Amino acid sequence: MTPVSLPRHRLLPACWLSAGAVLLAGCGTVLPGSPGSAEQTTIAAPVTAELTELVPAPESFPAGYPAVRLPAEAAVQAAGDLDGVGPGATVEPARCTPPAARAEPGTTAVAVGTDEESRASLTVELSRTDQPLARLRTRLDDCGSVRVLRAGAAATVVTDLLADPPAADPAPDDALALLRTVLPDRGGAALTQTMRTVIGQVGDVRITVTGMVFGGSEPEPGPVQELFETAVERVREH
């Protein structure tokens, strides 16, 4: 299939929901890091604390998003979904396929909060990485619109950068913010999913916070930013 080209500045990014966590597919365009941080091209000193100690507690999620911390196996599955296309999926062009989530113990911690009435969700993932955020930025810059095929279903995924990268106090080493929209070939607007994602890095810990909604609307930025700041502060403290 030929990748579909869609307008770059529209209602953007999204995902497919998988096993209680969002399945993101695709890549995007990104600008340099957040205010107070420089583009990260090397890894700073590793964070020594365990990720399970650093992931925000359910009670620290924004109001309206009752949350749970996922057990280790489910966290790895959720991380794979949030990072890309999920097991068994095919991405076109192939160069936009995200790397598989690491399955080693202690490399991933995830908490998910869901507004049961609206089906909106907030997910925070902490993961260990040996890559600076600049590597991710380079890949995203090359993959603004992709096709994703999984289990007989197909979708076009469009990703675009938000104008202002996320800020936090204390600041991460680097950060970026994006919107991602998944447009399924079947199902219409009701199944369209839109994601607002902010990603920061502190040392070897990557912090990813994603808000997701269905139906063509856009996730509210406030809860995503609030949870991102909470997560960055917890990692910085250790």
Side-chain angles (χ1 to χ4, degrees):
M1 295 185 185
T2 303
V4 177
S5 224
L6 297 180
R8 299 290 296 164
H9 295 287
R10 43 153 298 160
L11 216 228
L12 301 160
C15 57
W16 295 334
L17 201 60
S18 169
V22 281
L23 168 61
L24 291 181
C27 331
T29 301
V30 222
L31 293 177
S34 66
S37 68
E39 182 173 311
Q40 182 194 36
T41 56
T42 59
I43 296 290
V47 176
T48 57
E50 296 293 330
L51 296 186
T52 52
E53 300 174 10
L54 301 179
V55 69
E59 58 268 23
S60 65
F61 268 59
Y65 292 89
V68 295
R69 283 176 169 163
L70 300 185
E73 184 175 341
V76 171
Q77 175 64 48
D81 293 343
L82 290 167
D83 187 41
V85 299
T90 300
V91 176
E92 299 176 354
R95 68 177 184 277
C96 293
T97 305
R102 296 172 63 183
E104 297 93 337
T107 59
T108 304
V110 175
V112 181
T114 304
D115 180 332
E116 296 296 342
E117 183 175 346
S118 67
R119 296 193 299 163
S121 67
L122 278 176
T123 302
V124 55
E125 173 202 343
L126 304 184
S127 59
R128 297 284 182 185
T129 179
D130 59 1
Q131 300 292 322
L133 199 60
R135 296 281 185 90
L136 174 63
R137 182 175 284 111
T138 298
R139 175 168 59 82
L140 295 179
D141 193 45
D142 189 40
C143 302
S145 177
V146 300
R147 290 285 291 169
V148 176
L149 299 92
R150 183 183 184 190
T156 298
V157 180
V158 182
T159 306
D160 209 359
L161 176 72
L162 295 171
D164 298 317
D169 185 15
D173 299 338
D174 194 359
L176 59 85
L178 56 87
L179 287 172
R180 181 175 283 131
T181 299
V182 170
L183 304 165
D185 286 6
R186 298 180 180 179
L191 295 184
T192 295
Q193 299 171 346
T194 303
M195 310 292 295
R196 177 183 297 269
T197 299
V198 293
I199 305 172
Q201 193 154 323
V202 176
D204 65 340
V205 175
R206 187 162 293 172
I207 302 157
T208 303
V209 177
T210 298
M212 185 276 293
V213 296
F214 287 94
S217 60
E218 187 175 309
E220 295 183 6
V224 177
Q225 180 64 25
E226 179 183 341
L227 186 57
F228 179 70
E229 292 177 0
T230 297
V232 171
E233 182 176 10
R234 286 181 62 85
V235 175
R236 274 290 187 212
E237 287 176 348
H238 295 78

